[in-house]
Amino acid sequence: MTVDDSPVRRRRGPSMADVARLAGVSGQTVSRVANGRHNVDAATRDRVLAAMREVGYRPNGAARALRNGRFRSIGVIVFELSSFGNTRTLDAVATAATASGYAVHLMPVLDATQAALTGAFDRLGEQAVDGVIILIEAHQLDEAEVMLPDGLPVVVVDSDAEFDYPVVDTDQAQGARIATEHLLDLGHKTVWHLGGPATSVAASRRLASWRKTLQDRGCPVPPVLMGDWSTESGYDAGREIAANPDVTAVFVANDQMALGLLHALHEHGREVPGDISVVGFDDKEEAAHFWPPLTTVRQFFSEVGRRSVDALISQIQAGEHHHQPVSVDTKLIVRASSGPPRK
């Protein structure tokens, strides 16, 4: 048996010269058409485009980007891809980026640490992106040792960090305040709180605003019950709440935990809202179909995504970044799960 160790020649694809020969024009004219220049008359442009299709020539977008310094693509670094808020925001970012003519390169990370961020930026650098949106809803990103790269436009979504980049987020404090005030205005003496995980920036902001609202109104501040965003943690907390006759109103940090809470209250014979009123946060599509339908705080994820992309593209086009936080308002959606306390 013999082995042919001669080098394998890769078949050459159609070139700009092939297009020029077929169209009967110069290579420079083909280059102008391929790069979208306008100094080519319409008839010649049509002839060149037809020749490109006939020979199967595709302009090299990467090479063109290197020449003009723009790749028309953005990277998104995301932690906890399964999170409801992250998923909705990511969908909005992709929609807004596509509408603006940008491709999106998704880069999930397993840990919200400096090492993970550095690795993600390095990998995105290989993809040749014009800028990056960081979607990491965790306090780890706020630690002092976390550094972002110089010279690359960046927008951070949902963070307390003092970065020299735009930070875009839902107004979490406003949402928690209007939820708590709604229950107090119905006549409840105080409002209990089922919070999200301590690692969450959003959960911490909601908890702090709930506490401040009670203090500002001169109401007692009950102990906080902690969950992990899951239905199961809401159910476990709900069993504890159901056994406490002092509880008449609960503000829950997300709709998913509110669903578990409603389940537990029903199992223990506590009527909602007759015995206990419940308000959630997010306004998931299913919230209107909980039983009873859930009063909740609506987050406008599409607006957060759009504003994030707008802020990033502004940096890309201006060639500089600015430190200008963007806060997106929330809205209370009143349904049947909240009402006045039983007389």
Side-chain angles (χ1 to χ4, degrees), residues 193-199 203 224-230 232-234 237 253-254 257:
H193 183 51
L194 171 53
T199 56
V224 179
L225 300 172
M226 301 302 292
D228 62 7
W229 295 137
S230 70
E232 292 75 16
S233 67
N254 80 332
M257 292 191 297

Side-chain angles (χ1 to χ4, degrees), residues 150-301:
D150 292 328
L152 183 67
V154 173
V155 170
V156 182
V157 178
D158 198 8
S159 175
D160 283 332
E162 289 298 321
F163 293 125
D164 190 23
Y165 294 98
V167 176
V168 181
D169 191 18
T170 294
D171 192 338
Q172 309 291 347
Q174 179 214 31
R177 176 177 55 78
I178 61 178
T180 306
E181 288 179 340
H182 168 69
L183 291 166
L184 295 176
D185 291 343
L186 286 170
H188 296 277
K189 301 301 182 185
T190 191
V191 178
W192 289 63
H193 183 51
L194 171 53
T199 56
S200 167
V201 172
S204 297
R205 287 177 176 171
R206 294 169 199 175
L207 188 155
S209 181
W210 158 82
R211 178 180 287 123
K212 184 177 186 301
T213 302
L214 292 180
Q215 292 170 340
D216 289 348
R217 297 278 290 259
C219 300
V221 180
V224 179
L225 300 172
M226 301 302 292
D228 62 7
W229 295 137
S230 70
T231 308
E232 292 75 16
S233 67
Y235 176 79
D236 291 339
R239 294 169 63 185
E240 184 176 343
I241 289 171
N244 187 341
D246 295 332
V247 181
T248 66
V250 185
F251 163 48
V252 188
N254 80 332
D255 292 348
Q256 204 65 35
M257 292 191 297
L259 176 60
L261 172 66
L262 291 173
H263 181 193
L265 294 178
H266 176 75
E267 280 191 347
H268 286 76
R270 304 297 300 277
E271 293 183 5
V272 177
D275 295 321
I276 299 178
S277 287
V278 177
V279 174
F281 204 109
D282 282 338
D283 195 28
K284 299 182 61 165
E285 289 85 349
E286 300 89 346
H289 303 285
F290 289 1
W291 191 254
L294 184 66
T295 296
T296 187
V297 176
R298 177 174 295 171
Q299 294 197 75
F300 295 93
F301 296 106

Side-chain angles (χ1 to χ4, degrees), residues 36-75:
R37 303 289 171 79
H38 299 291
N39 54 341
V40 179
D41 66 81
T44 301
R45 181 183 304 278
D46 290 343
R47 194 162 71 251
V48 170
L49 291 173
M52 285 181 178
R53 289 192 292 270
E54 185 170 339
V55 303
Y57 174 77
R58 298 181 62 185
N60 188 328
R64 185 166 63 248
L66 287 172
R67 286 193 296 273
N68 62 30
R70 297 283 171 79
F71 296 94
R72 304 294 297 181
S73 66
I74 63 174

